[in-house]
mmCIF file of all heavy atoms in Angstrom:
data_model
loop_
_atom_site.group_PDB
_atom_site.id
_atom_site.type_symbol
_atom_site.label_atom_id
_atom_site.label_comp_id
_atom_site.label_asym_id
_atom_site.label_seq_id
_atom_site.Cartn_x
_atom_site.Cartn_y
_atom_site.Cartn_z
ATOM 1 N N GLU B 469 -47.622 -23.954 -18.572
ATOM 2 C CA GLU B 469 -48.330 -24.642 -19.630
ATOM 3 C C GLU B 469 -47.360 -25.566 -20.408
ATOM 4 O O GLU B 469 -47.591 -26.694 -20.822
ATOM 5 C CB GLU B 469 -48.965 -23.654 -20.628
ATOM 6 C CG GLU B 469 -50.068 -22.905 -19.973
ATOM 7 C CD GLU B 469 -50.754 -21.818 -20.959
ATOM 8 O OE1 GLU B 469 -50.166 -21.832 -22.051
ATOM 9 O OE2 GLU B 469 -51.644 -21.191 -20.691
ATOM 10 N N GLU B 470 -45.973 -25.109 -20.486
ATOM 11 C CA GLU B 470 -45.099 -25.806 -21.363
ATOM 12 C C GLU B 470 -44.092 -26.645 -20.544
ATOM 13 O O GLU B 470 -43.829 -27.721 -20.767
ATOM 14 C CB GLU B 470 -44.343 -24.824 -22.266
ATOM 15 C CG GLU B 470 -45.214 -24.166 -23.194
ATOM 16 C CD GLU B 470 -44.411 -23.119 -24.070
ATOM 17 O OE1 GLU B 470 -43.303 -23.059 -23.882
ATOM 18 O OE2 GLU B 470 -45.081 -22.513 -24.909
ATOM 19 N N ASP B 471 -43.641 -26.012 -19.462
ATOM 20 C CA ASP B 471 -42.538 -26.628 -18.693
ATOM 21 C C ASP B 471 -42.989 -27.551 -17.622
ATOM 22 O O ASP B 471 -42.205 -28.064 -16.846
ATOM 23 C CB ASP B 471 -41.573 -25.563 -18.154
ATOM 24 C CG ASP B 471 -41.060 -24.643 -19.284
ATOM 25 O OD1 ASP B 471 -40.940 -25.189 -20.407
ATOM 26 O OD2 ASP B 471 -40.685 -23.544 -19.015
ATOM 27 N N GLY B 472 -44.281 -27.622 -17.395
ATOM 28 C CA GLY B 472 -44.853 -28.375 -16.246
ATOM 29 C C GLY B 472 -44.666 -27.604 -14.971
ATOM 30 O O GLY B 472 -44.768 -26.402 -14.920
ATOM 31 N N VAL B 473 -44.347 -28.324 -13.814
ATOM 32 C CA VAL B 473 -44.306 -27.604 -12.480
ATOM 33 C C VAL B 473 -42.878 -26.967 -12.454
ATOM 34 O O VAL B 473 -41.890 -27.589 -12.713
ATOM 35 C CB VAL B 473 -44.516 -28.678 -11.426
ATOM 36 C CG1 VAL B 473 -44.347 -27.868 -10.079
ATOM 37 C CG2 VAL B 473 -45.874 -29.208 -11.505
ATOM 38 N N ARG B 474 -42.852 -25.679 -11.941
ATOM 39 C CA ARG B 474 -41.532 -25.049 -11.762
ATOM 40 C C ARG B 474 -41.658 -24.125 -10.516
ATOM 41 O O ARG B 474 -42.719 -23.704 -10.099
ATOM 42 C CB ARG B 474 -41.310 -24.177 -13.011
ATOM 43 C CG ARG B 474 -42.184 -23.039 -13.260
ATOM 44 C CD ARG B 474 -41.825 -22.283 -14.463
ATOM 45 N NE ARG B 474 -42.684 -21.115 -14.729
ATOM 46 C CZ ARG B 474 -42.644 -20.365 -15.786
ATOM 47 N NH1 ARG B 474 -41.706 -20.530 -16.638
ATOM 48 N NH2 ARG B 474 -43.525 -19.268 -15.853
ATOM 49 N N ASP B 475 -40.486 -23.847 -9.967
ATOM 50 C CA ASP B 475 -40.481 -23.062 -8.782
ATOM 51 C C ASP B 475 -40.407 -21.532 -9.075
ATOM 52 O O ASP B 475 -39.935 -21.111 -10.110
ATOM 53 C CB ASP B 475 -39.025 -23.344 -8.042
ATOM 54 C CG ASP B 475 -39.118 -24.793 -7.449
ATOM 55 O OD1 ASP B 475 -40.181 -25.248 -7.192
ATOM 56 O OD2 ASP B 475 -38.000 -25.344 -7.239
ATOM 57 N N THR B 476 -41.028 -20.799 -8.288
ATOM 58 C CA THR B 476 -41.017 -19.319 -8.393
ATOM 59 C C THR B 476 -39.875 -18.813 -7.687
ATOM 60 O O THR B 476 -39.212 -19.427 -6.739
ATOM 61 C CB THR B 476 -42.305 -18.689 -7.788
ATOM 62 O OG1 THR B 476 -42.516 -19.121 -6.498
ATOM 63 C CG2 THR B 476 -43.569 -19.165 -8.619
ATOM 64 N N ASN B 477 -39.481 -17.582 -8.023
ATOM 65 C CA ASN B 477 -38.306 -16.948 -7.373
ATOM 66 C C ASN B 477 -38.765 -16.409 -6.016
ATOM 67 O O ASN B 477 -39.927 -16.209 -5.574
ATOM 68 C CB ASN B 477 -37.851 -15.833 -8.192
ATOM 69 C CG ASN B 477 -37.267 -16.268 -9.567
ATOM 70 O OD1 ASN B 477 -36.930 -17.496 -9.717
ATOM 71 N ND2 ASN B 477 -37.162 -15.397 -10.475
ATOM 72 N N ARG B 478 -37.627 -16.349 -5.149
ATOM 73 C CA ARG B 478 -37.832 -15.736 -3.820
ATOM 74 C C ARG B 478 -38.124 -14.195 -3.913
ATOM 75 O O ARG B 478 -37.491 -13.533 -4.621
ATOM 76 C CB ARG B 478 -36.673 -16.018 -2.889
ATOM 77 C CG ARG B 478 -36.857 -15.731 -1.446
ATOM 78 C CD ARG B 478 -35.579 -15.996 -0.737
ATOM 79 N NE ARG B 478 -35.307 -17.373 -0.666
ATOM 80 C CZ ARG B 478 -35.719 -18.248 0.236
ATOM 81 N NH1 ARG B 478 -36.569 -17.759 1.184
ATOM 82 N NH2 ARG B 478 -35.397 -19.487 0.209
ATOM 83 N N GLN B 479 -39.132 -13.689 -3.134
ATOM 84 C CA GLN B 479 -39.491 -12.388 -3.184
ATOM 85 C C GLN B 479 -39.204 -11.784 -1.833
ATOM 86 O O GLN B 479 -39.144 -12.412 -0.766
ATOM 87 C CB GLN B 479 -41.081 -12.273 -3.386
ATOM 88 C CG GLN B 479 -41.487 -12.994 -4.645
ATOM 89 C CD GLN B 479 -41.076 -12.230 -5.928
ATOM 90 O OE1 GLN B 479 -41.119 -11.074 -6.017
ATOM 91 N NE2 GLN B 479 -40.698 -13.010 -6.979
ATOM 92 N N ALA B 480 -39.047 -10.425 -1.811
ATOM 93 C CA ALA B 480 -38.788 -9.598 -0.659
ATOM 94 C C ALA B 480 -39.754 -8.510 -0.812
ATOM 95 O O ALA B 480 -39.901 -7.786 -1.758
ATOM 96 C CB ALA B 480 -37.410 -9.100 -0.496
ATOM 97 N N ALA B 481 -40.530 -8.146 0.343
ATOM 98 C CA ALA B 481 -41.476 -7.059 0.358
ATOM 99 C C ALA B 481 -41.244 -6.147 1.622
ATOM 100 O O ALA B 481 -40.828 -6.618 2.647
ATOM 101 C CB ALA B 481 -42.865 -7.641 0.428
ATOM 102 N N LEU B 482 -41.468 -4.886 1.509
ATOM 103 C CA LEU B 482 -41.394 -3.944 2.541
ATOM 104 C C LEU B 482 -42.811 -3.789 3.155
ATOM 105 O O LEU B 482 -43.658 -3.205 2.547
ATOM 106 C CB LEU B 482 -40.878 -2.598 2.075
ATOM 107 C CG LEU B 482 -40.285 -1.624 3.161
ATOM 108 C CD1 LEU B 482 -39.256 -0.702 2.508
ATOM 109 C CD2 LEU B 482 -41.383 -0.959 3.868
ATOM 110 N N VAL B 483 -42.952 -4.355 4.380
ATOM 111 C CA VAL B 483 -44.231 -4.314 5.048
ATOM 112 C C VAL B 483 -44.018 -3.697 6.408
ATOM 113 O O VAL B 483 -43.030 -4.005 7.107
ATOM 114 C CB VAL B 483 -44.846 -5.788 5.167
ATOM 115 C CG1 VAL B 483 -46.120 -5.648 5.883
ATOM 116 C CG2 VAL B 483 -44.987 -6.479 3.822
ATOM 117 N N LEU B 484 -44.903 -2.673 6.775
ATOM 118 C CA LEU B 484 -44.789 -2.154 8.032
ATOM 119 C C LEU B 484 -45.499 -2.841 9.089
ATOM 120 O O LEU B 484 -46.666 -3.433 8.875
ATOM 121 C CB LEU B 484 -45.395 -0.700 7.917
ATOM 122 C CG LEU B 484 -44.576 0.311 7.088
ATOM 123 C CD1 LEU B 484 -45.194 1.619 7.123
ATOM 124 C CD2 LEU B 484 -43.151 0.412 7.572
ATOM 125 N N PRO B 485 -45.060 -3.087 10.367
ATOM 126 C CA PRO B 485 -43.708 -2.568 10.714
ATOM 127 C C PRO B 485 -42.628 -3.432 10.193
ATOM 128 O O PRO B 485 -42.861 -4.663 9.784
ATOM 129 C CB PRO B 485 -43.850 -2.612 12.262
ATOM 130 C CG PRO B 485 -44.704 -3.799 12.538
ATOM 131 C CD PRO B 485 -45.716 -3.679 11.458
ATOM 132 N N LEU B 486 -41.348 -2.916 10.213
ATOM 133 C CA LEU B 486 -40.295 -3.695 9.656
ATOM 134 C C LEU B 486 -40.020 -4.847 10.477
ATOM 135 O O LEU B 486 -40.128 -4.946 11.718
ATOM 136 C CB LEU B 486 -39.006 -2.824 9.550
ATOM 137 C CG LEU B 486 -39.047 -1.581 8.639
ATOM 138 C CD1 LEU B 486 -37.753 -0.797 8.669
ATOM 139 C CD2 LEU B 486 -39.375 -2.024 7.240
ATOM 140 N N VAL B 487 -39.535 -6.005 9.819
ATOM 141 C CA VAL B 487 -39.256 -7.137 10.606
ATOM 142 C C VAL B 487 -37.793 -7.034 11.220
ATOM 143 O O VAL B 487 -36.827 -6.630 10.596
ATOM 144 C CB VAL B 487 -39.210 -8.381 9.576
ATOM 145 C CG1 VAL B 487 -38.983 -9.679 10.406
ATOM 146 C CG2 VAL B 487 -40.615 -8.374 8.940
ATOM 147 N N LYS B 488 -37.688 -7.449 12.515
ATOM 148 C CA LYS B 488 -36.454 -7.477 13.216
ATOM 149 C C LYS B 488 -36.028 -8.854 13.388
ATOM 150 O O LYS B 488 -36.576 -9.661 14.164
ATOM 151 C CB LYS B 488 -36.551 -6.718 14.571
ATOM 152 C CG LYS B 488 -36.840 -5.269 14.505
ATOM 153 C CD LYS B 488 -36.876 -4.624 15.862
ATOM 154 C CE LYS B 488 -37.098 -3.047 15.762
ATOM 155 N NZ LYS B 488 -37.184 -2.495 17.089
ATOM 156 N N TYR B 489 -34.974 -9.201 12.593
ATOM 157 C CA TYR B 489 -34.471 -10.629 12.691
ATOM 158 C C TYR B 489 -33.553 -10.828 13.782
ATOM 159 O O TYR B 489 -32.615 -9.953 13.939
ATOM 160 C CB TYR B 489 -33.929 -11.046 11.326
ATOM 161 C CG TYR B 489 -34.886 -11.054 10.174
ATOM 162 C CD1 TYR B 489 -35.179 -9.925 9.458
ATOM 163 C CD2 TYR B 489 -35.519 -12.271 9.968
ATOM 164 C CE1 TYR B 489 -35.996 -9.953 8.323
ATOM 165 C CE2 TYR B 489 -36.485 -12.242 8.861
ATOM 166 C CZ TYR B 489 -36.773 -11.109 8.045
ATOM 167 O OH TYR B 489 -37.537 -11.138 7.056
ATOM 168 N N GLY B 490 -33.690 -11.844 14.489
ATOM 169 C CA GLY B 490 -32.724 -12.089 15.633
ATOM 170 C C GLY B 490 -31.418 -12.845 15.208
ATOM 171 O O GLY B 490 -31.374 -13.296 14.009
ATOM 172 N N GLN B 491 -30.618 -12.988 16.113
ATOM 173 C CA GLN B 491 -29.264 -13.613 15.744
ATOM 174 C C GLN B 491 -29.527 -15.072 15.351
ATOM 175 O O GLN B 491 -28.858 -15.578 14.429
ATOM 176 C CB GLN B 491 -28.355 -13.601 16.969
ATOM 177 C CG GLN B 491 -26.906 -14.090 16.602
ATOM 178 C CD GLN B 491 -26.173 -13.278 15.739
ATOM 179 O OE1 GLN B 491 -26.494 -12.118 15.527
ATOM 180 N NE2 GLN B 491 -25.105 -13.787 15.076
ATOM 181 N N SER B 492 -30.473 -15.692 15.993
ATOM 182 C CA SER B 492 -30.724 -17.218 15.704
ATOM 183 C C SER B 492 -31.370 -17.317 14.319
ATOM 184 O O SER B 492 -31.217 -18.300 13.711
ATOM 185 C CB SER B 492 -31.712 -17.778 16.728
ATOM 186 O OG SER B 492 -32.903 -16.953 16.836
ATOM 187 N N MET B 493 -31.979 -16.341 13.848
ATOM 188 C CA MET B 493 -32.563 -16.369 12.534
ATOM 189 C C MET B 493 -31.666 -15.996 11.387
ATOM 190 O O MET B 493 -31.743 -16.419 10.320
ATOM 191 C CB MET B 493 -33.816 -15.333 12.430
ATOM 192 C CG MET B 493 -34.931 -15.732 13.379
ATOM 193 S SD MET B 493 -36.318 -14.652 13.196
ATOM 194 C CE MET B 493 -36.957 -15.042 11.629
#
Side-chain angles (χ1 to χ4, degrees):
E469 296 180 357
E470 299 178 358
D471 301 334
V473 179
R474 64 180 182 184
D475 291 335
T476 57
N477 294 342
R478 189 181 292 272
Q479 305 288 322
L482 198 157
V483 181
L484 293 179
L486 298 178
V487 183
K488 295 183 179 180
Y489 294 91
Q491 184 70 18
S492 59
M493 300 180 66

